[in-house]
């Protein structure tokens, strides 16, 4: 029995006693200043816990007596007790201000109510595919129509502008068994016999410590981890990465990237340690991977990849996790990693044919790492970093891929029933095709958001389209074959430049384009970026032969395909992951720019041809789209 401490009533259940104490607190206590809430219709007062629900129930009774409608019920389920970032990442929060996770990430820590508005640019960037029905000038709906772009361009938002962390909350649950097995294999000591050799001397330990580690004045300050005592392939690789990062930071000079000094090996070791490897890699594949799916998760083996790719994936995951050893992201580490990777890109020697995937493995992984670090850097809210990526890094990456001929790469065979070996070969080809397509997407992103003149011509893209997400995420050759069989009747898509040509040349109202139902949301994202890029070049006078009427025709054909395809994908588990779900925003933006072109009453900086690193122009244009009268 549970008895009230202030009266003689007792209850069989504790929650009944709690409700009694919350309801009768006013009768028990004379000090009414302790009361948390009171009925607006009578003098009855209530205190925590359960004050909201208890008050609502009481008001419901009072409202009936006074012939007034009862208040709405409280939202079911447990109330949110974590800060916003921890809530969306589904991790525990210590509720400090800022909490330990936000302090580690260098983010603003905010606590919000459980009832989140449908759109708040400070707390969510995940758009619905069916926005509200209030229409405006350009066929746009409410501000949710530009939910991602508005989130990205909002100058008041300071944080992950690319909304990569938001994806983790709806990420597909992965089977991590194979990944964990690969990590365990890579963590086996390189000299297993030494693990069982108990006859060792303390004086032998320092010989296994990397030469770049500083000496210690006191013996008690030397703390040797198991990785130091029994080094594994993965721990040796991480040690090499840390050494290379320290050397790179030293060569960059002081103050060049806002750093006060070179990176410290000991500080790096608390972050880039084997204890954090599993969590960081898993976090990468649950967040940034969906926005940049150029690394094949089912065959990913962290023990058999190059240092640059391991570093970029590790840093991506560490951005959205808290290291187990309590290490924080050292200041300037992203700039150093960027310099480290792009130095290798600059020095890259072309020694193999792009069709010979076995000899291209290290080159392909280097390009993958450059793409990942490029996107990570765009997530940082730094104008100088954006400018460096836009003017230096991205053109360098495009030039490298162009010289490898990847923009013209075509598959030798279509996805079909295959064995393990053939599947691996198909995956190797697909990785190169995805590199071409997602570099093209990055190029279009710079054009749409920063009016950067395209580094890649749409008509240069003679490669095949990437697989759909279902084929790409197939966990084995058997599951891949099963999915491939279900799409065996689909018409093959022409190369990107040919698809764009058909969209430009097919009059609106004609019969549907034959291959349109073979298109996936990833394909539609690539196509709408391509049309936006062509529209920018046409408005700028760079493509005088291409009229805006042709762009409008392509836009209409794109929307017709989107409407026919999106209804078939409502239950697709991959539909709401990554940027493809925002493709319709880019269509709205395209039509808004076409409508505003040539109008004398429109004087917006976004409509000029000058490149910028400031997001204010895009934000101003989006606001105008919603506020401009019909």
């Amino acid at each position: 029995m549970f008895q009230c401490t202030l009266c003689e009533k007792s209850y069989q259940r504790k929650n009944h006693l709690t409700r009694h104490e919350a309801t009768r607190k006013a009768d028990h206590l004379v000090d009414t200043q302790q009361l948390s809430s009171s009925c607006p219709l009578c003098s009855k007062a209530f205190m925590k816990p359960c004050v909201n629900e208890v008050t609502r129930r009481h008001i419901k009774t009072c409202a009936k007596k006074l012939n007034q409608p009862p208040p709405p019920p409280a939202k079911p389920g447990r109330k949110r007790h974590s800060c916003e970032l921890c809530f969306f990442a589904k991790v525990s929060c210590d509720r400090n201000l800022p909490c330990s996770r936000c302090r580690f990430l260098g983010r603003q820590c905010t606590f919000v109510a459980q009832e989140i508005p449908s759109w708040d640019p400070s707390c969510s960037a995940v758009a619905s595919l069916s926005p509200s029905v209030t229409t405006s000038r350009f066929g746009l709906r409410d501000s949710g129509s530009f939910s991602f772009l508005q989130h990205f361009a909002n100058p008041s938002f300071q944080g992950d502008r690319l909304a990569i962390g938001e994806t983790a909350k709806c990420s597909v649950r992965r089977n991590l068994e194979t990944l964990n097995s690969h990590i365990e294999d890579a963590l086996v000591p390189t000299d297993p016999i030494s693990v069982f050799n108990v006859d060792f001397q303390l004086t032998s330990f320092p010989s296994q410590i990397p030469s770049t580690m500083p000496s210690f004045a006191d013996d008690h300050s030397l703390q040797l981890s198991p990785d130091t005592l029994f080094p594994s392939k993965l721990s040796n690789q991480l040690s090499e990465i840390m050494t290379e990062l320290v050397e790179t930071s030293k060569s960059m000079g002081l103050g060049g990237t806002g750093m006060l000094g070179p990176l410290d090996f000991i500080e790096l070791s608390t972050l880039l340690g084997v204890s954090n490897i599993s969590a960081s890699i898993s976090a990468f594949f649950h967040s940034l991977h969906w926005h940049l799916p150029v690394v094949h998760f089912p065959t990913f083996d962290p023990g058999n990849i190059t240092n640059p790719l391991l570093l970029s994936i590790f840093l991506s995951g560490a951005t959205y996790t808290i290291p187990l050893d309590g290490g924080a992201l050292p200041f300037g580490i992203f700039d150093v990693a960027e310099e480290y990777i792009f130095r290798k890109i600059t020095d890259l020697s072309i020694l193999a044919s792009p069709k010979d995937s076995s000899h291209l493995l290290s080159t392909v992984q280097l390009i993958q790492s450059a793409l990942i670090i490029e996107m990570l850097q765009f997530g940082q809210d730094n104008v100088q970093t954006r400018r460096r990526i836009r003017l230096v890094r991205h053109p360098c990456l495009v030039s490298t891929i162009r010289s490898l001929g990847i923009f013209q790469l075509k598959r030798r065979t279509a996805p079909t029933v295959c064995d393990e070996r053939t599947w691996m070969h198909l995956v190797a080809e697909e990785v190169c095709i995805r590199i071409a397509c997602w570099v093209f997407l990055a190029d279009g992103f710079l054009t749409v958001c920063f009016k950067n003149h395209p580094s890649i011509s749409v008509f240069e893209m003679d490669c095949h389209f990437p697989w759909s997400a279902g084929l790409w995420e197939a966990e084995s050759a058997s599951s891949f074959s099963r999915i491939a069989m279900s799409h065996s009747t689909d018409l093959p898509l022409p190369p990107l430049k040919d698809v764009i040509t058909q969209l430009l040349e097919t009059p609106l109202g004609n019969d549907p384009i034959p291959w349109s139902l073979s298109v996936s949301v990833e394909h539609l994202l690539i196509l709408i970026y391509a049309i936006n890029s062509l529209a920018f070049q046409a408005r700028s006078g760079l493509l005088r032969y291409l009229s805006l009427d042709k762009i409008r025709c392509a836009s209409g054909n794109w929307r017709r395909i989107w409407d026919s395809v999106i209804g078939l994908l409502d239950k697709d588990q991959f539909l709401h992951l990554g940027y493809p779900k925002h493709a319709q925003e880019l269509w709205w933006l395209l039509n808004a720019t076409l409508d505003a072109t040539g109008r004398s009453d429109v004087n917006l900086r976004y409509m000029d041809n000058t490149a910028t690193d400031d997001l204010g122009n895009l934000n101003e244009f989006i606001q105008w789209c919603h506020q401009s009268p019909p």
Side-chain angles (χ1 to χ4, degrees):
M1 299 292 289
F2 298 91
Q3 186 171 4
C4 177
T5 57
L6 301 174
C7 69
E8 297 179 355
K9 289 189 175 182
S10 59
Y11 299 88
Q12 292 184 347
R13 296 186 178 181
K14 187 176 181 179
N15 62 328
H16 292 172
L17 173 63
T18 301
R19 182 183 300 171
H20 161 77
E21 291 177 341
T23 306
R24 305 301 300 172
K25 209 69 173 181
D27 297 337
H28 291 330
L29 297 178
V30 177
D31 184 6
T32 58
Q33 292 182 351
Q34 299 182 43
L35 302 179
S36 298
S37 178
S38 61
C39 174
L41 305 176
C42 68
S43 58
K44 197 170 188 64
F46 310 91
M47 289 191 66
K48 291 183 178 180
C50 306
V51 61
N52 293 334
E53 185 61 19
V54 171
T55 304
R56 186 193 72 84
R57 291 182 180 180
H58 170 78
I59 294 176
K60 185 175 181 180
T61 305
C62 289
K64 286 181 179 179
K65 291 180 180 179
L66 298 175
N67 197 27
Q68 296 181 17
K75 189 172 181 179
R78 295 180 60 186
K79 306 302 179 184
R80 185 191 302 181
H81 295 293
S82 60
C83 75
E84 183 186 357
L85 287 176
C86 292
F87 174 79
F88 285 130
K90 296 183 179 179
V91 298
S92 60
C93 178
D94 56 22
R95 291 189 61 80
N96 292 329
L97 196 61
C99 70
S100 59
R101 184 172 186 271
C102 291
R103 186 169 59 252
F104 161 72
L105 295 176
R107 306 283 173 81
Q108 183 179 0
C109 191
T110 55
F111 292 85
V112 296
Q114 186 177 15
E115 294 76 23
I116 302 176
S118 60
W119 165 247
D120 181 353
S122 67
C123 70
S124 177
V126 179
S128 170
L129 289 171
S130 301
S132 63
V133 297
T134 305
T135 59
S136 64
R137 175 180 181 85
F138 304 104
L140 303 178
R141 309 273 169 62
D142 61 6
S143 58
S145 299
F146 280 133
S147 57
F148 167 68
L149 289 175
Q150 188 166 334
H151 171 95
F152 178 75
N154 188 347
S156 64
F157 184 80
Q158 302 293 326
D160 182 8
R161 287 191 176 276
L162 295 177
I164 296 168
E166 293 289 325
T167 303
K169 68 180 182 180
C170 58
S171 179
V172 172
R173 186 179 297 276
R174 292 187 179 278
N175 181 3
L176 300 177
E177 182 178 351
T178 302
L179 174 63
N180 293 332
S181 176
H182 287 321
I183 293 176
E184 290 175 1
D185 291 343
L187 291 177
V188 173
T190 53
D191 184 11
I193 299 178
S194 66
V195 177
F196 304 99
N197 183 10
V198 295
D199 186 20
F200 50 73
Q201 301 295 324
L202 184 62
T203 55
S204 66
F205 291 167
S207 64
Q208 301 186 45
I209 302 174
S211 59
T212 55
M213 290 182 65
S215 60
F216 295 85
D218 301 319
D219 291 339
H220 68 269
S221 64
L222 180 58
Q223 298 180 358
L224 299 171
S225 66
D227 305 327
T228 303
L229 302 179
F230 312 114
S232 62
K233 179 180 180 181
L234 197 53
S235 63
N236 284 336
Q237 192 171 359
L238 291 173
S239 179
E240 289 177 8
I241 292 173
M242 288 185 281
T243 301
E244 292 173 332
L245 287 179
V246 170
E247 293 302 320
T248 301
S249 65
K250 290 179 179 178
S251 66
M252 292 170 68
L254 302 181
T257 59
M259 296 174 58
L260 300 178
L263 295 177
D264 180 71
F265 191 98
I266 298 299
E267 187 180 9
L268 283 176
S269 64
T270 61
L271 171 70
L272 294 169
V274 295
S275 59
N276 297 323
I277 190 79
S278 180
S280 294
I281 292 176
S282 299
F284 166 80
F285 282 109
H286 279 89
S287 54
L288 189 143
H289 166 80
W290 296 114
H291 304 272
L292 189 63
V294 295
V295 179
H296 192 238
F297 172 76
T299 58
F300 178 76
D301 183 358
N304 289 291
I305 60 174
T306 61
N307 287 358
L309 184 56
L310 180 60
L311 171 64
S312 61
I313 290 178
F314 202 122
L315 288 180
S316 301
T319 305
Y320 304 102
T321 57
I322 301 177
L324 298 178
D325 290 342
L329 289 170
F331 181 74
I333 189 172
F334 290 109
D335 291 340
V336 176
E338 174 200 323
E339 179 71 15
Y340 163 70
I341 290 172
F342 274 92
R343 281 183 183 181
K344 294 182 178 295
I345 289 285
T346 304
D347 297 337
L348 190 62
S349 297
I350 312 301
L351 299 177
S353 166
K355 295 183 180 180
D356 191 350
S357 58
S358 61
H359 294 289
L360 274 179
L361 183 59
S362 60
T363 299
V364 167
Q365 292 186 0
L366 179 58
I367 294 173
Q368 289 172 313
S369 67
L371 265 172
I372 293 171
I373 201 68
E374 184 175 303
M375 177 169 282
L376 274 181
Q377 286 290 62
F378 259 106
Q380 311 300 313
D381 199 16
N382 187 291
V383 173
Q384 290 183 345
T385 300
R386 268 191 226 121
R387 181 170 302 168
R388 186 174 64 249
I389 294 292
R390 182 175 65 84
L391 296 178
V392 181
R393 307 305 195 189
H394 181 71
C396 175
L397 184 59
V398 169
S399 177
T400 300
I401 296 174
R402 180 179 289 125
S403 66
L404 288 167
I406 295 180
F407 290 134
Q408 289 77 42
L409 184 63
K410 296 181 177 65
R411 296 186 187 88
R412 298 179 184 179
T413 180
T416 184
V417 176
C418 59
D419 56 19
E420 192 81 14
R421 183 176 179 181
T422 305
W423 176 55
M424 297 289 285
H425 177 74
L426 292 176
V427 167
E429 284 185 336
E430 174 68 10
V431 166
C432 293
I433 290 174
R434 283 182 167 256
I435 284 175
C437 291
W438 262 264
V439 168
F440 178 75
L441 284 177
D443 197 63
F445 170 80
L446 292 176
T447 300
V448 168
C449 295
F450 302 103
K451 299 177 295 179
N452 190 68
H453 286 217
S455 299
I456 308 172
S457 168
V458 172
F459 303 107
E460 179 184 7
M461 294 294 294
D462 197 25
C463 62
H464 278 151
F465 275 91
W467 292 334
S468 65
L471 274 174
W472 176 244
E473 297 294 333
E475 295 184 352
S476 63
S478 58
S479 60
F480 175 87
S481 300
R482 190 165 52 252
I483 298 172
M485 277 296 295
S486 65
H487 293 281
S488 60
T489 59
D490 292 350
L491 292 177
L493 284 174
L496 173 58
K497 68 173 187 177
D498 295 334
V499 171
I500 286 294
T501 300
Q502 291 189 41
L503 293 180
L504 291 168
E505 299 295 337
T506 302
L508 291 175
N510 278 24
D511 293 335
I513 301 174
W515 41 256
S516 60
L517 291 181
S518 303
V519 174
S520 69
V521 287
E522 292 90 352
H523 303 152
L524 287 166
L525 178 68
I526 295 170
L527 290 173
I528 195 60
Y529 264 122
I531 301 172
N532 269 285
S533 178
L534 290 176
F536 173 81
Q537 292 175 305
R539 295 198 323 267
S540 305
L542 300 177
L543 295 176
R544 292 185 178 275
Y545 66 88
L546 189 61
S547 67
L548 292 183
D549 288 338
K550 290 287 188 181
I551 302 294
R552 291 187 179 93
C553 180
S555 170
N557 284 322
W558 184 94
R559 182 55 191 254
R560 183 171 56 165
I561 297 174
W562 171 270
D563 290 339
S564 63
V565 170
I566 203 67
L568 303 175
L569 300 174
D570 285 342
K571 296 181 180 180
D572 191 332
Q573 63 176 337
F574 303 111
L575 177 61
H576 301 282
L577 297 172
Y579 294 135
K581 66 175 177 287
H582 301 308
Q584 191 171 215
E585 292 187 34
L586 297 167
W587 182 83
W588 280 320
L589 183 66
L590 168 66
N591 285 276
T593 57
L594 292 175
D595 185 271
T597 300
R599 286 180 46 181
S600 58
D601 60 328
V602 177
N603 185 22
L604 297 169
R605 291 171 296 173
Y606 183 76
M607 294 303 297
D608 63 33
N609 304 324
T610 307
T612 180
D613 299 292
D614 182 10
L615 289 167
N617 295 352
L618 176 60
N619 182 64
E620 178 189 33
F621 186 78
I622 291 175
Q623 298 303 322
W624 175 81
C625 290
H626 291 294
Q627 297 171 5
S628 181

